[in-house]
């Protein structure tokens, strides 16, 4: 996605002659979501809806962004922080009234102001750019983003007057003939800043909803003899808004397809896009193959030539090159080059799996560093541990890291072999080049090069089986005799 500052003017050494602002509307109640969370903080592909809007505005070269907040304002501030400016609309009296709240911040500045909704995260940076370019080039008072829909219900309708917008009529105020119009208002506009604030002051609320409609500004501007120009979307999907959770899912679906297509164009193989979920802001290297059923969540970076999935979930994880992850969950970890994870492994936060290491089936790793080429092939728990290089952790190795109150670390030196079904009771250190005999419960440190055996010695009772059977036979005969008598 291009992030260039398109507003810049070559002749002025990159400084734009036109100050470009944006007002993002996010003070509505969003009641149809039926949520305790503000509509615009709901996530789309792992990123709050309004973050998509703000990121796209920034990528389109906007200089100042004012977000209009009201109901649940602190949640919106929690997501966007100091990155934008805020205006407060105490009561949701309509979109025109919402824009007016940004006047103290933006009024009196020259240039243009985009007005966008916080609940339409699919509008692309290129579209904001186009809307702004047409406004500036034509000197129109406003440009209005529109689309032609097969089912226009619910949207404001565009009344045209030649190649201009004569008025925008909300569905609730429209008669039969206006409802039949299929060109709708996307809710995204670019105004001449001065014309915008002059106009929103003059709106009235004499309509079915008793609201101050921003959409009425089109007719007001036209009455003043100014121009309002429609800019039609080729891809109507871009204007899709989120008013309820059904629309949230369909916007998520569109965003997901867009993200996957982006990675495929960058050289990533996605075997089955329908069952693959990659969050916004994730990075994936070339020639990596993503198999079906895979979820790659926010904060994850994957290198080149990896094979991820089927059925893997990765979150907040760094994956270097040539890594294999199959049927596993990896959270907050680092997987170094060429390591293999799974099937059925669970790697938890704070873990590092070393270069070329292997973590196999039913192995859980938590807050542990596993050295290069070390193998924990099956049925093992490695928690709070530092494991050296070229170590073999036999099947059933357990670091006993918790005494019911506190957690302790286990250390194992390079090239050590831990036999199957061993407990390493932390805090404990096993040296380098050491052996731990299978079935040991290690409670004391093991020096370098030593062999530790910590289990009961085996006793063989010769001929025991025959003696036992004889004893049982005698017992059975006696009990039968006592029953007969
Ligand atoms: C609006 C447009 C409609 C357009 C549609 C596109 C108006 C009057 N209508 O309708 O023509 O087709 O968007 O999606 O503008 N908001 C505030 N304060 C308010 C009211 C709303 O900040 O007092 C915010 C909302 O949080 C939302 C945005 O403005 O982000 C749009 O409001 P919404 O109520 O969803 O308008 P629509 O009915 O969708
Ligand atoms: Ca809406």
């Amino acid at each position: 996605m291009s992030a260039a500052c398109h507003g810049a003017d070559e002749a002025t050494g990159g400084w734009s002659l036109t100050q470009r602002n944006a007002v993002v509307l996010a003070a509505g109640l969003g009641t149809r979501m039926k949520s305790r969370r503000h509509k615009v903080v709901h996530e789309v592909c792992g990123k709050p809806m309004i973050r998509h809007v703000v990121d796209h505005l920034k990528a389109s070269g906007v200089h100042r962004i004012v977000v209009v907040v009201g109901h649940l304002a602190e949640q919106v501030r929690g997501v966007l922080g100091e990155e934008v400016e805020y205006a407060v609309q105490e009561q949701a009296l309509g979109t025109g009234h919402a824009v007016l709240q940004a006047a103290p911040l933006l009024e009196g500045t020259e240039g243009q102001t985009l007005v966008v909704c916080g609940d339409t995260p699919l509008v692309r940076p290129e579209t904001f750019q186009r809307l702004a370019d047409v406004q500036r080039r034509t000197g129109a008072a406003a440009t209005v983003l529109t689309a032609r829909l097969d089912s226009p219900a619910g949207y404001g309708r565009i009344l045209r007057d030649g190649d201009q917008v004569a008025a925008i009529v909300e569905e609730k105020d429209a008669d039969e003939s206006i409802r039949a119009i299929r060109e709708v208002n996307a809710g995204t506009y670019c105004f001449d800043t001065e014309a915008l604030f002059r106009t929103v002051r003059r709106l009235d609320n004499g309509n079915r909803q008793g609201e101050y409609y921003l959409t009425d500004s089109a007719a007001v501007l036209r009455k003043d003899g100014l121009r309002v120009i429609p800019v039609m979307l080729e891809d109507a999907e871009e204007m899709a808004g989120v008013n309820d959770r059904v629309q949230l899912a369909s916007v998520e679906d569109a965003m997901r397809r867009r993200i996957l297509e982006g990675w495929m164009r960058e050289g990533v193989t996605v075997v089955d896009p329908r069952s693959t979920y990659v969050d916004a802001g994730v990075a994936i290297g070339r020639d990596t193959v993503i198999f079906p059923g895979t979820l790659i969540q926010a904060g994850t970076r994957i290198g080149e030539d990896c094979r991820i999935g089927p059925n893997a979930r990765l979150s907040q994880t760094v994956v270097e090159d040539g890594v294999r992850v199959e049927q596993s969950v990896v959270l907050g970890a680092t997987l170094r080059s060429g390591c293999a994870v799974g099937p059925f492994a669970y790697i938890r936060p704070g873990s590092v799996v070393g270069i070329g290491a292997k973590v196999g089936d039913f192995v859980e790793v938590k807050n542990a560093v596993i050295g290069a080429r070390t193998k924990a092939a099956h049925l093992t728990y490695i928690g709070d541990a530092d494991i050296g290089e070229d170590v073999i952790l036999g099947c059933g190795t357990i670091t006993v890291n918790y005494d019911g109150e506190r957690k302790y670390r286990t250390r194992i030196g390079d090239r050590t072999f831990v036999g199957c079904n061993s407990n390493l009771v932390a805090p404990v250190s096993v040296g380098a080049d050491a052996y731990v005999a299978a079935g040991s419960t290690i409670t004391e440190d093991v020096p370098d090069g030593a062999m530790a055996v910590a289990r009961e010695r085996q006793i063989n009772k010769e001929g025991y089986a025959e003696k036992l059977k004889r004893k049982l036979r005698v017992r059975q005969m006696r009990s039968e005799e006592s029953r007969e008598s």
Side-chain angles (χ1 to χ4, degrees):
M1 231 166 260
S2 114
C5 181
H6 300 279
D9 194 303
E10 302 291 302
T12 55
W15 250 110
S16 173
L17 289 171
T18 318
Q19 167 74 29
R20 190 183 296 170
N21 311 314
V23 175
V24 182
L25 304 184
L29 296 178
T31 43
R32 282 171 283 172
M33 289 294 282
K34 303 202 169 126
S35 178
R36 274 181 289 275
R37 298 170 65 215
H38 193 296
K39 174 164 70 177
V40 301
V41 309
H42 281 261
E43 290 181 356
V44 173
C45 294
K47 177 154 123 179
M49 210 184 298
I50 196 155
R51 270 233 76 91
H52 286 282
V53 175
V54 166
D55 288 350
H56 290 174
L57 283 169
K58 284 187 173 169
S60 80
V62 163
H63 306 109
R64 279 179 81 183
I65 299 176
V66 176
V67 178
V68 182
V69 291
H71 177 64
L72 301 176
E74 64 294 344
Q75 293 184 5
V76 181
R77 288 176 197 264
V79 164
L80 297 175
E82 302 296 299
E83 207 178 310
V84 299
E85 300 168 69
Y86 298 94
V88 177
Q89 185 192 24
E90 300 287 353
Q91 268 184 296
L93 300 179
T95 47
H97 180 261
V99 170
L100 189 56
Q101 311 314 306
L105 290 167
L106 298 177
E107 205 169 20
T109 60
E110 298 238 317
Q112 48 187 185
T113 297
L114 284 154
V115 177
V116 311
C117 296
D119 64 357
T120 53
L122 293 173
V123 182
R124 296 174 190 269
E126 295 79 359
T127 302
F128 291 137
Q129 179 64 42
R130 198 168 132 222
L131 212 52
D133 284 349
V134 174
Q135 189 275 324
R136 189 170 54 166
R137 202 179 56 231
T138 59
T143 47
V144 178
L145 192 66
T146 74
R148 207 180 292 285
L149 300 183
D150 291 335
S151 20
Y155 291 101
R157 306 298 204 281
I158 301 292
L159 268 62
R160 285 223 188 201
D161 164 13
D163 57 1
Q164 289 203 56
V165 176
I168 303 170
V169 180
E170 290 307 292
E171 165 128 332
K172 289 191 175 124
D173 304 298
D175 61 24
E176 280 297 305
S177 65
I178 290 176
R179 283 183 192 212
I181 296 172
R182 284 171 47 217
E183 188 178 7
V184 303
N185 172 26
T188 303
Y189 322 80
C190 186
F191 289 88
D192 170 79
T193 302
E194 197 240 335
L196 172 65
F197 291 111
R198 194 162 18 90
T199 307
V200 288
R201 287 186 190 291
R202 289 158 58 197
L203 299 175
D204 65 51
N205 62 354
N207 51 54
R208 289 290 293 274
Q209 302 192 83
E211 288 185 4
Y212 297 90
Y213 290 162
L214 177 62
T215 43
D216 284 347
S217 58
V220 173
L221 290 165
R222 292 299 308 278
K223 217 172 282 165
D224 287 354
L226 298 168
R227 281 183 297 158
V228 178
I229 296 178
V231 173
M232 205 193 288
L233 277 169
E234 285 133 40
D235 172 15
E237 186 179 74
E238 255 190 85
M239 63 166 281
V242 176
N243 295 310
D244 59 31
R245 307 228 189 195
V246 175
Q247 290 173 324
L248 179 65
S250 81
V251 162
E252 167 101 19
D253 186 54
M255 184 71 82
R256 186 158 65 88
R257 275 185 278 115
R258 194 188 282 185
I259 289 170
L260 288 171
E261 277 171 31
W263 287 119
M264 290 188 264
R265 290 192 207 303
E266 289 297 320
V268 175
T269 296
V270 179
V271 174
D272 179 20
R274 285 164 306 179
S275 71
T276 303
Y277 305 79
V278 176
D279 276 354
V282 159
I284 309 175
R286 286 208 171 158
D287 288 320
T288 283
V289 180
I290 316 282
F291 291 94
T294 293
L295 190 58
I296 300 173
Q297 295 182 293
T300 298
R301 293 201 321 269
I302 297 175
E304 300 187 353
D305 293 309
C306 293
R307 296 168 78 76
I308 310 293
N311 303 323
R313 175 180 163 222
L314 282 73
S315 173
Q316 302 282 345
T317 286
V318 175
V319 179
E320 295 181 355
D321 297 338
V323 171
R324 179 84 183 88
V325 179
E326 188 178 343
Q327 316 256 16
S328 292
V329 175
V330 186
L331 314 174
T334 300
L335 308 181
R336 305 287 312 273
S337 303
C339 72
V341 171
F344 315 117
Y346 182 22
I347 315 274
R348 294 167 54 196
S351 298
V352 178
V353 178
I355 295 170
K358 176 174 169 57
V359 173
D361 52 278
F362 307 105
V363 175
E364 176 173 338
V365 182
K366 186 216 79 172
N367 190 28
V369 178
I370 293 176
R373 297 169 304 281
T374 285
K375 290 186 172 62
H378 14 240
L379 297 162
T380 288
Y381 173 65
I382 310 168
D384 302 306
D386 299 292
I387 316 289
E389 300 183 350
D390 298 297
V391 171
I392 307 274
L393 298 174
C395 177
T397 299
I398 290 172
T399 57
V400 183
N401 61 331
Y402 187 50
D403 64 3
E405 239 167 80
R406 289 182 54 193
K407 303 257 168 88
Y408 303 93
R409 279 193 97 75
T410 299
R411 294 191 169 77
I412 301 178
D414 296 343
R415 296 171 302 281
T416 282
F417 180 97
V418 179
C420 289
N421 207 32
S422 296
N423 301 309
L424 306 166
V425 183
V428 75
S429 290
V430 178
D433 300 295
Y435 284 84
V436 171
S440 292
T441 291
I442 301 294
T443 55
E444 280 161 41
D445 289 356
V446 178
D448 289 352
M451 149 85 153
V453 192
R455 64 187 184 213
E456 285 282 302
R457 217 169 240 296
Q458 182 172 331
I459 305 163
N460 290 339
K461 297 186 174 176
E462 295 279 350
Y464 180 85
E466 198 43 51
K467 268 188 255 171
L468 180 66
K469 280 180 199 153
R470 220 178 296 141
K471 211 156 78 185
L472 291 173
R473 251 192 321 265
V474 170
R475 199 181 287 169
Q476 184 163 6
M477 274 159 56
R478 284 191 187 143
S479 77
E480 282 166 12
E481 281 168 13
S482 68
R483 229 179 292 147
E484 284 163 18
S485 63

